[in-house]
Amino acid sequence: MLNFSDLLPYTDVFFGGLMTTIELTLLTTVLGVVLGTTCAAVRQYGHPASQRAVAAYVELIRNTPFIVQLFFIFFGLPSIGLMLSPWQASVIALTINLGAYSTEIIRAGLNNIPKGQWEAAKVLGMDFRQTLTRVVFTPAFEKIYPALTSQCIIVMLGSAVLSQISVQDLTYAANLVQSRNFRAFESYVVTALMYLGLAMLMRYVFAMIGKRVFAFREAQ
Amino acid sequence: MIEFSNWDILRNLLIATQWTVLLSLAAFIGGTAVALGLTAMRLTRNPVMIRIVKLYVELFQGTPLLMQMFLCFFGLSMIGYEISAWGAAILSLTLFTSAFLVEIWRGCIDTLPKGQWEASRVLGLNFLQTLRHVILPQATKVAFAPTVGFSVQVVKGTALASVIGFVELTKAGTMLNNATFEPFKVFAFVALIYFALCYPLSLCSKYLEKKYHVAR
C-alpha cells in the first residue's frame, strides 16, 4: 500500500525546496534577531513613547497568527501601493514575526543583569553604549540563548506556511510531488521528517555557536 | 457584483469566528486530555514510557503544524481513512497541543524540589498519594499561567485549518478578499479579531503569572 520509491524521481524537487527553506531560515534568523535585539534595547532603555510603540508591535504580532500576518503583507500591502514578490513578503513577514518574539526573550535577558554591573561600568568610565555592548549583552544573551534557539526553530517550522503564497519551499515541494504522483501520505511523511531533521540540525548548530561565543565564560 | 459594506465584511468574519472559537476549544480540551495521559505515562518512571513520550514530543514539536494537518487530511484519506477537514483539524491540533502541554507540565512538576517526594515517602505516602496530596496541588498552581499562555498558540494554530479548506476566520478572510478585492481591509479585520481573541488570554496569563509568583 505504502510506496516510498515513487518519491525517488522527485529528489531534486525536494532538495530545491529544502534549500529554499534553509536559505529563508538563515536570512530571517539573522535579520529577526537583529531586529529583536534593537527593539529589546529600545523597549528597555528607550524613550517612553518608543517603549510603548515597541510594546504595541510585540503584542500585535504575538497575538495574531503568522498566516494572517503573511496574507496582510503579501495581499494587503500591494493595495496601498507596496508591491512585494512572494520572496520579499516572506522575508519581511518572518523577520517581523521573529523580531517580536525575540524582543520579549532578549528583554528578559536584559532584565536579568544586576544593576550593580551598570553602576560598576559607569564607575569605570564607560558610557551607555559601551556598557550595553561590552558588559550587558553577552551575559544577557547567554541567559536566554536556549529560549532564543527554540524560537528560531519555531519560526523555521512556521515557514511551511509560505507555500501558501507560492514560495517554493519544502512544503511547496511536498504539495507539488503529491499532486504529480498522488502519494500524499508518503510525500508528507518524508517532508515532515526533513523538517524534523532540520530542527535537530538547527539545535545542534546553535549549540555549537553558543559554545564558541560563550566559551570564555565557561573557562572561568 | 455584490457590494460589501464594512459591516457586511465584519459580520461575515464574526460568523466564521465562531468556528475558530469552537475549533480552539475542541483542540484545547482534546489536547489537555491527551497531555494528561502522557503526563501520567511519564510519571510512572518506566523508561519505555518516558521514551515514548519523549519521541512523541520531539515528533510533534519538531515538525510544522501545517505538515501535521496535511498528513491528517490528505495523508489519512490516501491510505484509506476518510476524514473531514473539521476532523483532520481537530485531530492535528489535539496532537500538536498535547505535545506542547505535556512539555510545559513536565517543567512545572520538575521545578518542585525532589525532597518533597522523599519527605512524602518518609511520611509513608505511596506514589499516588504523594501525587495527589503533595505534588499536584502545587504543580497545578505553577502550571496555570503557562497553560493559559499556550492557549494563545492554539487559537493561532487554528488559522492553519484554512489551508485544508475548513472555513474558519482566516478562510473566511481569503474568501471575502476574493469577493471584495479589498485585501488590506479584510486582513486587517481578520488580524484584529484574532487579536481580540488572543490578547485577553495573554493578559490573563500574565496576571496569573504575577499572582502565583508572588504567592510562592
Side-chain angles (χ1 to χ4, degrees):
Chain A
M1 200 167 61
L2 288 179
N3 186 355
F4 284 93
S5 60
D6 281 354
L7 298 179
L8 284 176
Y10 299 99
T11 315
D12 51 338
V13 176
F14 280 118
F15 185 74
L18 185 64
M19 281 301 126
T20 305
T21 295
I22 291 176
E23 213 174 310
L24 273 168
T25 304
L26 269 179
L27 182 62
T28 53
T29 298
V30 173
L31 291 177
V33 172
V34 169
L35 178 65
T37 310
T38 315
C39 287
V42 171
R43 178 83 172 83
Q44 193 75 352
Y45 312 113
H47 186 270
S50 45
Q51 278 190 11
R52 267 199 295 277
V54 171
Y57 153 65
V58 169
E59 291 303 334
L60 201 62
I61 297 298
R62 295 212 316 163
N63 288 296
T64 50
F66 176 65
I67 191 172
V68 176
Q69 293 160 17
L70 185 69
F71 283 175
F72 184 77
I73 289 170
F74 184 64
F75 297 117
L77 290 188
S79 71
I80 57 163
L82 196 62
M83 277 304 243
L84 295 165
S85 71
W87 175 271
Q88 290 166 332
S90 303
V91 172
I92 293 173
L94 285 169
T95 302
I96 287 178
N97 192 273
L98 179 59
Y101 281 93
S102 56
T103 297
E104 275 304 279
I105 295 172
I106 295 167
R107 193 167 76 98
L110 293 176
N111 252 331
N112 214 277
I113 302 299
K115 226 179 162 185
Q117 301 228 354
W118 281 95
E119 292 162 357
K122 194 160 204 177
V123 170
L124 289 172
M126 290 182 160
D127 63 18
F128 174 77
R129 189 178 298 252
Q130 286 172 326
T131 312
L132 203 60
T133 52
R134 298 191 190 169
V135 179
V136 172
F137 267 153
T138 314
F141 267 94
E142 190 182 13
K143 190 92 188 163
I144 50 90
Y145 197 67
L148 198 60
T149 304
S150 301
Q151 193 56 49
C152 291
I153 292 173
I154 289 174
V155 169
M156 182 275 287
L157 295 175
S159 76
V161 170
L162 302 178
S163 59
Q164 294 307 306
I165 59 165
S166 73
V167 171
Q168 304 188 352
D169 71 338
L170 192 47
T171 307
Y172 184 90
N175 283 329
L176 187 73
V177 170
Q178 72 96 18
S179 70
R180 297 252 178 92
N181 66 7
F182 304 109
R183 290 275 171 203
F185 192 79
E186 291 88 335
S187 174
Y188 291 133
V189 165
V190 167
T191 309
L193 289 178
M194 283 163 98
Y195 274 109
L196 189 62
L198 211 51
M200 287 168 160
L201 181 72
M202 271 179 87
R203 206 166 277 285
Y204 178 77
V205 170
F206 267 81
M208 283 297 118
I209 295 172
K211 237 183 195 164
R212 283 200 82 118
V213 173
F214 306 121
F216 73 98
R217 293 179 65 81
E218 270 169 36
Q220 283 171 0
Chain B
M1 203 180 101
I2 313 164
E3 284 297 322
F4 279 85
S5 69
N6 285 346
W7 170 239
D8 287 328
I9 294 175
L10 196 59
R11 198 189 44 181
N12 282 301
L13 287 177
L14 285 174
I15 292 170
T17 306
Q18 295 172 348
W19 287 102
T20 290
V21 172
L22 202 62
L23 187 56
S24 306
L25 281 176
F28 194 73
I29 292 168
T32 305
V34 175
L36 278 176
L38 290 169
T39 304
M41 276 170 74
R42 229 181 53 82
L43 282 172
T44 58
R45 305 233 177 104
N46 179 332
V48 181
M49 294 282 202
I50 291 177
R51 255 268 167 62
I52 293 173
V53 176
K54 228 179 189 170
L55 191 72
Y56 181 92
V57 170
E58 185 79 17
L59 216 58
F60 288 102
Q61 288 198 358
T63 55
L65 176 58
L66 185 64
M67 209 35 73
Q68 295 163 23
M69 264 186 200
F70 280 157
L71 261 175
C72 286
F73 187 56
F74 300 109
L76 282 186
S77 55
M78 277 286 171
I79 58 169
Y81 298 97
E82 274 311 322
I83 192 164
S84 63
W86 164 246
I90 288 186
L91 180 62
S92 53
L93 279 166
T94 296
L95 297 172
F96 170 82
T97 306
S98 63
F100 276 88
L101 284 182
V102 76
E103 197 62 6
I104 290 172
W105 296 347
R106 181 180 78 101
C108 297
I109 292 172
D110 288 356
T111 50
L112 299 177
K114 234 185 153 178
Q116 301 218 359
W117 286 93
E118 292 161 359
S120 310
R121 220 344 146 25
V122 172
L123 289 172
L125 298 176
N126 66 21
F127 175 76
L128 279 180
Q129 285 171 328
T130 309
L131 205 59
R132 197 181 143 215
H133 296 294
V134 182
I135 302 298
L136 286 186
Q138 302 176 75
T140 43
K141 260 186 200 162
V142 188
F144 221 50
T147 305
V148 173
F150 184 74
S151 67
V152 175
Q153 308 296 329
V154 180
V155 176
K156 291 193 295 176
T158 62
L160 292 184
S162 64
V163 178
I164 57 171
F166 179 69
V167 184
E168 39 65 77
L169 183 48
T170 305
K171 182 73 186 171
T174 47
M175 287 159 78
L176 278 167
N177 174 34
N178 291 341
T180 62
F181 303 111
E182 288 189 288
F184 191 85
K185 197 193 286 172
V186 171
F187 287 116
F189 274 144
V190 171
L192 283 178
I193 295 174
Y194 274 112
F195 187 79
L197 289 175
C198 294
Y199 192 55
L201 289 171
S202 294
L203 285 181
C204 179
S205 162
K206 228 178 239 169
Y207 166 77
L208 288 169
E209 204 171 294
K210 264 200 194 119
K211 187 175 162 191
Y212 288 121
H213 207 73
V214 173
R216 264 157 63 85

